[in-house]
Amino acid sequence: MTATDTRFARHLSMQRASAAEREAILANPGFGNYFTDHTTIIDFRVDASGVGGWHDARLEPYGPIALDPAAAVLHYGQEIFEGMKAYRHADGSIWTFRADANAARLNRSAVRLALPQLPEELFLESLSQLVAADQDWIPSGDGESLYLRPFMIATEAFLGVRPAREVSYRVIASPAGNYFGGEVKPVDIWVSRNYARAGRGGTGAAKAGGNYASSLAAQLEAEAHGCKQVLFLDQFNDNAVEELGGMNVFFVFRDGSIVTPALSGTILEGVTRSSVIQLGRDRGLQVSERKITLDEWRDGVAGGEITEVFACGTAAVITPIGQLRDGDEFIGMADAAAGEVTMSIRRQLLGIQTGTVEDTHGWLTRLV
Ligand SMILES: *Cc1c(COP(=O)(O)O)cnc(C)c1O
Protein backbone atom coordinates (compact mmCIF):
# COMPACT_ATOMS: atom_id res chain seq x y z
CA MET A 1 0.00 0.00 0.00
CA THR A 2 1.43 3.37 -0.95
CA ALA A 3 -1.24 5.87 0.11
CA THR A 4 0.05 7.76 3.10
CA ASP A 5 -0.53 5.85 6.32
CA THR A 6 -0.28 7.99 9.43
CA ARG A 7 -0.24 5.32 12.16
CA PHE A 8 2.84 5.28 14.32
CA ALA A 9 4.33 2.05 15.71
CA ARG A 10 6.53 2.22 18.80
CA HIS A 11 9.48 -0.15 19.27
CA LEU A 12 11.17 0.99 22.45
CA SER A 13 14.81 0.16 23.06
CA MET A 14 16.82 -0.67 26.08
CA GLN A 15 18.40 2.59 27.15
CA ARG A 16 21.72 3.08 25.42
CA ALA A 17 23.26 4.86 28.36
CA SER A 18 22.79 4.34 32.08
CA ALA A 19 21.18 7.15 34.06
CA ALA A 20 24.62 8.05 35.43
CA GLU A 21 26.21 8.11 31.97
CA ARG A 22 23.35 10.24 30.69
CA GLU A 23 23.72 12.71 33.56
CA ALA A 24 27.45 13.01 32.83
CA ILE A 25 26.70 13.76 29.17
CA LEU A 26 24.00 16.27 30.06
CA ALA A 27 26.38 18.13 32.37
CA ASN A 28 28.42 19.13 29.32
CA PRO A 29 26.66 18.15 26.10
CA GLY A 30 28.38 20.53 23.69
CA PHE A 31 26.66 20.47 20.31
CA GLY A 32 25.90 17.43 18.16
CA ASN A 33 28.12 15.03 20.08
CA TYR A 34 25.64 12.63 21.67
CA PHE A 35 22.39 11.11 20.47
CA THR A 36 19.35 9.91 22.34
CA ASP A 37 17.97 6.37 22.62
CA HIS A 38 15.51 6.46 19.71
CA THR A 39 14.85 7.67 16.18
CA THR A 40 11.61 8.14 14.30
CA ILE A 41 11.37 6.80 10.76
CA ILE A 42 8.80 7.13 7.99
CA ASP A 43 9.38 5.50 4.62
CA PHE A 44 8.13 6.62 1.23
CA ARG A 45 7.66 4.58 -1.90
CA VAL A 46 6.31 5.16 -5.37
CA ASP A 47 4.41 2.07 -6.50
CA ALA A 48 4.28 0.51 -9.99
CA SER A 49 1.38 2.71 -11.02
CA GLY A 50 3.36 5.82 -10.10
CA VAL A 51 1.48 6.65 -6.90
CA GLY A 52 3.67 7.69 -3.98
CA GLY A 53 2.87 7.52 -0.27
CA TRP A 54 4.40 7.52 3.18
CA HIS A 55 4.20 4.28 5.16
CA ASP A 56 5.55 2.41 8.20
CA ALA A 57 5.87 5.39 10.52
CA ARG A 58 7.67 4.11 13.59
CA LEU A 59 9.79 4.86 16.61
CA GLU A 60 12.88 2.64 16.74
CA PRO A 61 16.02 2.24 18.80
CA TYR A 62 18.75 4.60 17.62
CA GLY A 63 21.29 2.80 15.45
CA PRO A 64 23.08 2.55 12.11
CA ILE A 65 21.08 2.69 8.87
CA ALA A 66 21.39 -0.27 6.50
CA LEU A 67 21.66 1.26 3.03
CA ASP A 68 22.26 -0.37 -0.32
CA PRO A 69 25.66 0.87 -1.61
CA ALA A 70 23.81 2.07 -4.71
CA ALA A 71 21.39 4.21 -2.68
CA ALA A 72 20.89 7.47 -4.59
CA VAL A 73 21.76 9.68 -1.61
CA LEU A 74 25.30 8.27 -1.56
CA HIS A 75 25.93 9.18 -5.19
CA TYR A 76 23.85 12.21 -6.10
CA GLY A 77 23.31 13.82 -2.72
CA GLN A 78 19.52 13.84 -2.77
CA GLU A 79 19.14 14.88 0.87
CA ILE A 80 17.46 17.62 2.90
CA PHE A 81 17.22 18.33 6.59
CA GLU A 82 15.78 20.58 9.29
CA GLY A 83 17.10 21.87 12.58
CA MET A 84 14.95 22.77 15.57
CA LYS A 85 14.92 22.46 19.34
CA ALA A 86 12.74 21.12 22.15
CA TYR A 87 12.79 23.12 25.39
CA ARG A 88 11.80 21.99 28.86
CA HIS A 89 9.80 24.64 30.72
CA ALA A 90 9.82 25.15 34.48
CA ASP A 91 6.60 23.10 34.93
CA GLY A 92 8.15 20.10 33.15
CA SER A 93 6.23 20.52 29.90
CA ILE A 94 8.22 20.28 26.66
CA TRP A 95 7.79 22.67 23.76
CA THR A 96 9.12 23.35 20.32
CA PHE A 97 9.38 26.67 18.50
CA ARG A 98 7.58 27.48 15.22
CA ALA A 99 7.47 23.85 14.11
CA ASP A 100 4.96 24.78 11.42
CA ALA A 101 7.62 26.96 9.80
CA ASN A 102 10.11 24.08 9.84
CA ALA A 103 7.49 21.74 8.35
CA ALA A 104 6.81 24.22 5.56
CA ARG A 105 10.52 24.75 4.92
CA LEU A 106 11.19 21.00 4.80
CA ASN A 107 8.57 20.79 2.08
CA ARG A 108 10.02 23.73 0.13
CA SER A 109 13.42 22.02 0.32
CA ALA A 110 11.77 18.75 -0.78
CA VAL A 111 10.34 20.40 -3.88
CA ARG A 112 13.77 21.81 -4.83
CA LEU A 113 15.56 18.48 -4.32
CA ALA A 114 12.78 16.50 -6.05
CA LEU A 115 11.94 14.66 -2.82
CA PRO A 116 8.39 13.95 -1.61
CA GLN A 117 6.61 16.40 0.68
CA LEU A 118 5.75 15.21 4.18
CA PRO A 119 2.32 16.13 5.63
CA GLU A 120 2.71 18.60 8.52
CA GLU A 121 0.79 16.30 10.94
CA LEU A 122 3.27 13.50 10.30
CA PHE A 123 6.20 15.89 10.76
CA LEU A 124 4.82 17.06 14.15
CA GLU A 125 4.00 13.50 15.20
CA SER A 126 7.54 12.37 14.33
CA LEU A 127 8.89 15.00 16.72
CA SER A 128 6.52 14.39 19.61
CA GLN A 129 6.94 10.60 19.43
CA LEU A 130 10.71 10.97 19.70
CA VAL A 131 10.70 13.65 22.37
CA ALA A 132 8.15 11.76 24.47
CA ALA A 133 10.33 8.64 24.42
CA ASP A 134 13.62 10.45 25.04
CA GLN A 135 12.59 13.34 27.29
CA ASP A 136 15.15 12.38 29.94
CA TRP A 137 17.78 13.58 27.45
CA ILE A 138 16.72 17.23 27.58
CA PRO A 139 19.34 19.20 29.52
CA SER A 140 17.86 21.78 31.87
CA GLY A 141 20.66 24.36 32.09
CA ASP A 142 20.22 27.95 31.02
CA GLY A 143 19.78 28.15 27.24
CA GLU A 144 20.11 24.36 26.87
CA SER A 145 17.75 22.22 24.85
CA LEU A 146 17.31 19.05 22.85
CA TYR A 147 18.34 19.66 19.25
CA LEU A 148 16.08 17.87 16.77
CA ARG A 149 17.39 16.89 13.35
CA PRO A 150 14.72 15.72 10.90
CA PHE A 151 16.20 14.61 7.56
CA MET A 152 15.17 12.91 4.34
CA ILE A 153 17.35 10.72 2.14
CA ALA A 154 16.93 9.00 -1.23
CA THR A 155 17.31 5.29 -0.41
CA GLU A 156 16.48 3.73 -3.78
CA ALA A 157 19.29 1.57 -5.19
CA PHE A 158 19.60 2.97 -8.70
CA LEU A 159 22.46 4.70 -10.45
CA GLY A 160 20.47 6.30 -13.25
CA VAL A 161 19.96 9.99 -12.66
CA ARG A 162 16.35 10.70 -11.69
CA PRO A 163 14.47 11.41 -8.45
CA ALA A 164 14.50 8.32 -6.23
CA ARG A 165 11.26 6.37 -5.83
CA GLU A 166 12.22 5.18 -2.36
CA VAL A 167 12.94 7.69 0.34
CA SER A 168 13.34 7.58 4.08
CA TYR A 169 12.54 10.38 6.54
CA ARG A 170 14.03 10.23 10.01
CA VAL A 171 14.45 12.31 13.13
CA ILE A 172 17.37 12.06 15.52
CA ALA A 173 17.88 14.13 18.67
CA SER A 174 20.96 15.45 20.43
CA PRO A 175 21.25 17.27 23.76
CA ALA A 176 22.58 20.78 23.11
CA GLY A 177 24.52 23.12 25.34
CA ASN A 178 25.63 26.56 24.23
CA TYR A 179 26.64 26.27 20.55
CA PHE A 180 29.90 28.21 20.68
CA GLY A 181 30.52 27.12 24.26
CA GLY A 182 30.44 29.20 27.44
CA GLU A 183 29.52 32.89 27.47
CA VAL A 184 28.24 34.83 24.47
CA LYS A 185 31.38 36.22 22.87
CA PRO A 186 31.51 37.92 19.48
CA VAL A 187 32.89 35.64 16.78
CA ASP A 188 35.35 36.70 14.09
CA ILE A 189 34.26 36.08 10.53
CA TRP A 190 36.24 35.39 7.36
CA VAL A 191 35.01 36.78 4.03
CA SER A 192 34.99 34.01 1.45
CA ARG A 193 36.41 35.34 -1.83
CA ASN A 194 37.32 32.01 -3.38
CA TYR A 195 34.09 30.13 -2.81
CA ALA A 196 30.33 30.70 -3.00
CA ARG A 197 27.81 28.52 -1.14
CA ALA A 198 24.97 29.16 -3.57
CA GLY A 199 24.28 30.57 -6.99
CA ARG A 200 21.21 31.91 -8.76
CA GLY A 201 18.79 29.08 -9.53
CA GLY A 202 20.77 26.71 -7.30
CA THR A 203 19.85 25.11 -4.01
CA GLY A 204 20.86 27.94 -1.65
CA ALA A 205 17.31 28.50 -0.40
CA ALA A 206 16.88 24.79 0.41
CA LYS A 207 18.22 23.19 3.57
CA ALA A 208 20.26 20.57 1.78
CA GLY A 209 23.38 18.76 2.93
CA GLY A 210 25.09 19.60 -0.36
CA ASN A 211 25.13 23.31 0.53
CA TYR A 212 27.06 22.46 3.66
CA ALA A 213 29.46 20.20 1.77
CA SER A 214 30.25 23.10 -0.55
CA SER A 215 30.80 25.49 2.38
CA LEU A 216 33.44 23.36 4.12
CA ALA A 217 36.46 24.41 2.04
CA ALA A 218 35.60 28.03 2.82
CA GLN A 219 35.19 27.13 6.50
CA LEU A 220 38.68 25.59 6.49
CA GLU A 221 40.07 28.76 4.95
CA ALA A 222 38.34 30.79 7.69
CA GLU A 223 39.85 28.63 10.41
CA ALA A 224 43.29 28.89 8.82
CA HIS A 225 42.95 32.67 9.27
CA GLY A 226 41.85 32.42 12.88
CA CYS A 227 38.14 32.99 12.21
CA LYS A 228 35.26 30.89 13.54
CA GLN A 229 32.82 31.31 10.65
CA VAL A 230 32.72 32.31 7.03
CA LEU A 231 30.68 35.03 5.30
CA PHE A 232 29.45 34.43 1.77
CA LEU A 233 28.93 37.32 -0.66
CA ASP A 234 27.22 37.61 -4.02
CA GLN A 235 30.37 38.62 -5.87
CA PHE A 236 28.40 39.15 -9.08
CA ASN A 237 26.12 41.68 -7.39
CA ASP A 238 28.33 44.39 -5.80
CA ASN A 239 29.46 42.01 -3.07
CA ALA A 240 26.00 41.90 -1.54
CA VAL A 241 26.15 40.20 1.86
CA GLU A 242 24.39 36.83 1.83
CA GLU A 243 24.87 34.82 5.01
CA LEU A 244 27.26 32.68 7.02
CA GLY A 245 27.62 28.95 6.32
CA GLY A 246 24.59 28.21 8.48
CA MET A 247 23.35 31.49 9.94
CA ASN A 248 21.62 34.64 8.70
CA VAL A 249 23.07 38.10 9.32
CA PHE A 250 21.60 41.29 10.85
CA PHE A 251 22.88 44.88 11.11
CA VAL A 252 21.80 47.34 13.82
CA PHE A 253 22.08 51.00 12.82
CA ARG A 254 22.74 54.00 15.07
CA ASP A 255 19.20 55.31 14.47
CA GLY A 256 17.79 52.03 15.86
CA SER A 257 16.80 50.55 12.51
CA ILE A 258 17.68 46.98 11.64
CA VAL A 259 18.65 45.55 8.25
CA THR A 260 19.00 41.98 7.05
CA PRO A 261 19.82 40.88 3.48
CA ALA A 262 16.67 40.38 1.40
CA LEU A 263 15.87 36.80 0.40
CA SER A 264 17.35 36.52 -3.05
CA GLY A 265 17.03 32.81 -3.75
CA THR A 266 20.61 32.21 -2.61
CA ILE A 267 19.90 32.80 1.10
CA LEU A 268 18.33 30.23 3.41
CA GLU A 269 15.20 31.68 5.03
CA GLY A 270 15.89 31.12 8.72
CA VAL A 271 13.09 30.68 11.22
CA THR A 272 15.26 32.64 13.65
CA ARG A 273 15.68 35.37 11.01
CA SER A 274 11.93 35.77 10.57
CA SER A 275 11.45 35.74 14.36
CA VAL A 276 14.05 38.50 14.83
CA ILE A 277 12.34 40.59 12.13
CA GLN A 278 9.03 40.19 14.00
CA LEU A 279 10.51 40.95 17.44
CA GLY A 280 12.22 44.06 16.03
CA ARG A 281 8.93 45.29 14.57
CA ASP A 282 7.15 44.51 17.88
CA ARG A 283 9.59 46.94 19.48
CA GLY A 284 8.60 49.62 17.00
CA LEU A 285 11.92 49.44 15.20
CA GLN A 286 12.18 49.84 11.45
CA VAL A 287 13.32 46.48 10.10
CA SER A 288 14.18 46.23 6.41
CA GLU A 289 15.03 43.29 4.24
CA ARG A 290 17.20 44.79 1.53
CA LYS A 291 20.48 44.46 -0.30
CA ILE A 292 23.43 45.42 1.89
CA THR A 293 26.90 45.34 0.40
CA LEU A 294 30.29 44.72 1.91
CA ASP A 295 31.15 48.39 1.15
CA GLU A 296 28.15 49.54 3.20
CA TRP A 297 29.26 47.27 6.06
CA ARG A 298 32.83 48.62 5.94
CA ASP A 299 31.81 52.28 5.63
CA GLY A 300 28.96 51.90 8.14
CA VAL A 301 31.24 50.48 10.80
CA ALA A 302 33.97 53.05 10.07
CA GLY A 303 31.50 55.96 10.19
CA GLY A 304 29.59 54.69 13.21
CA GLU A 305 26.24 54.25 11.38
CA ILE A 306 26.36 50.50 11.96
CA THR A 307 26.65 49.85 15.68
CA GLU A 308 26.09 46.08 15.94
CA VAL A 309 26.24 43.07 13.63
CA PHE A 310 24.95 39.66 14.62
CA ALA A 311 24.27 36.24 13.16
CA CYS A 312 21.29 34.02 13.97
CA GLY A 313 20.12 30.46 13.59
CA THR A 314 18.51 27.73 15.67
CA ALA A 315 21.73 26.12 16.86
CA ALA A 316 23.54 29.22 18.13
CA VAL A 317 20.38 31.39 18.56
CA ILE A 318 21.93 34.87 18.24
CA THR A 319 25.67 35.41 18.12
CA PRO A 320 27.36 38.79 17.99
CA ILE A 321 29.81 39.26 15.14
CA GLY A 322 33.08 40.84 16.21
CA GLN A 323 35.63 41.45 13.53
CA LEU A 324 35.20 40.77 9.83
CA ARG A 325 38.37 39.77 8.04
CA ASP A 326 38.55 40.32 4.29
CA GLY A 327 42.01 39.18 3.17
CA ASP A 328 44.40 41.58 4.90
CA GLU A 329 41.70 44.05 5.75
CA PHE A 330 39.91 44.09 9.12
CA ILE A 331 36.44 45.54 9.58
CA GLY A 332 35.19 46.25 13.11
CA MET A 333 36.99 45.69 16.36
CA ALA A 334 38.53 42.54 17.74
CA ASP A 335 37.31 41.75 21.27
CA ALA A 336 34.41 44.22 20.99
CA ALA A 337 31.73 43.59 23.58
CA ALA A 338 28.43 42.06 22.45
CA GLY A 339 25.98 44.83 21.45
CA GLU A 340 23.00 45.85 23.60
CA VAL A 341 20.33 45.31 20.93
CA THR A 342 21.87 41.96 20.00
CA MET A 343 21.84 40.73 23.59
CA SER A 344 18.38 42.10 24.32
CA ILE A 345 16.83 40.33 21.31
CA ARG A 346 18.75 37.19 22.23
CA ARG A 347 17.35 37.25 25.79
CA GLN A 348 13.82 37.86 24.53
CA LEU A 349 13.97 35.05 21.97
CA LEU A 350 15.48 32.56 24.43
CA GLY A 351 12.91 33.67 27.03
CA ILE A 352 10.03 32.91 24.66
CA GLN A 353 11.53 29.55 23.75
CA THR A 354 12.17 28.52 27.35
CA GLY A 355 8.84 29.80 28.65
CA THR A 356 10.00 32.74 30.79
CA VAL A 357 8.79 35.47 28.38
CA GLU A 358 5.21 35.57 27.08
CA ASP A 359 4.71 33.97 23.66
CA THR A 360 2.43 36.61 22.11
CA HIS A 361 2.70 35.18 18.58
CA GLY A 362 1.69 31.59 19.39
CA TRP A 363 5.11 30.36 18.29
CA LEU A 364 5.34 27.46 20.76
CA THR A 365 3.84 24.01 20.23
CA ARG A 366 3.62 21.61 23.15
CA LEU A 367 5.24 18.25 22.38
CA VAL A 368 4.91 16.52 25.76
C1 LIG B 1 19.48 26.41 8.91
C2 LIG B 1 20.17 27.55 8.28
C3 LIG B 1 20.04 28.87 8.75
C4 LIG B 1 19.28 29.23 9.99
O1 LIG B 1 17.93 28.85 9.94
P1 LIG B 1 17.09 28.71 11.30
O2 LIG B 1 15.77 28.25 10.83
O3 LIG B 1 17.07 30.05 11.91
O4 LIG B 1 17.81 27.72 12.13
C5 LIG B 1 20.69 29.87 8.06
N1 LIG B 1 21.44 29.60 6.98
C6 LIG B 1 21.60 28.35 6.51
C7 LIG B 1 22.45 28.14 5.32
C8 LIG B 1 20.97 27.29 7.15
O5 LIG B 1 21.14 26.05 6.67
Side-chain angles (χ1 to χ4, degrees), residues 73-95:
V73 66
L74 301 176
H75 302 274
Y76 307 128
Q78 206 187 355
E79 188 265 359
I80 56 174
F81 66 96
E82 271 304 321
M84 47 209 302
K85 284 175 169 174
Y87 308 87
R88 191 194 299 281
H89 289 188
D91 65 357
S93 58
I94 300 167
W95 301 75

Side-chain angles (χ1 to χ4, degrees), residues 259-273:
V259 173
T260 190
L263 299 173
S264 55
T266 50
I267 293 176
L268 193 286
E269 183 175 2
V271 176
T272 318
R273 175 186 181 277

Side-chain angles (χ1 to χ4, degrees), residues 190-200 218 221 230-243 264 266 291-294 326-327:
W190 172 254
V191 178
S192 178
R193 292 283 186 175
N194 294 322
Y195 306 105
R197 73 171 275 285
R200 223 156 278 171
E221 208 181 69
V230 58
L231 173 78
F232 291 102
L233 303 173
D234 183 348
Q235 298 193 73
F236 301 99
N237 181 19
D238 308 325
N239 288 331
V241 172
E242 298 211 304
E243 60 173 318
S264 55
T266 50
K291 175 172 161 182
I292 179 162
T293 64
L294 189 63
D326 182 15

Side-chain angles (χ1 to χ4, degrees), residues 146-159:
L146 185 67
Y147 184 77
L148 303 174
R149 169 54 60 84
F151 63 104
M152 199 188 287
I153 54 175
T155 51
E156 188 185 3
F158 178 71
L159 291 184

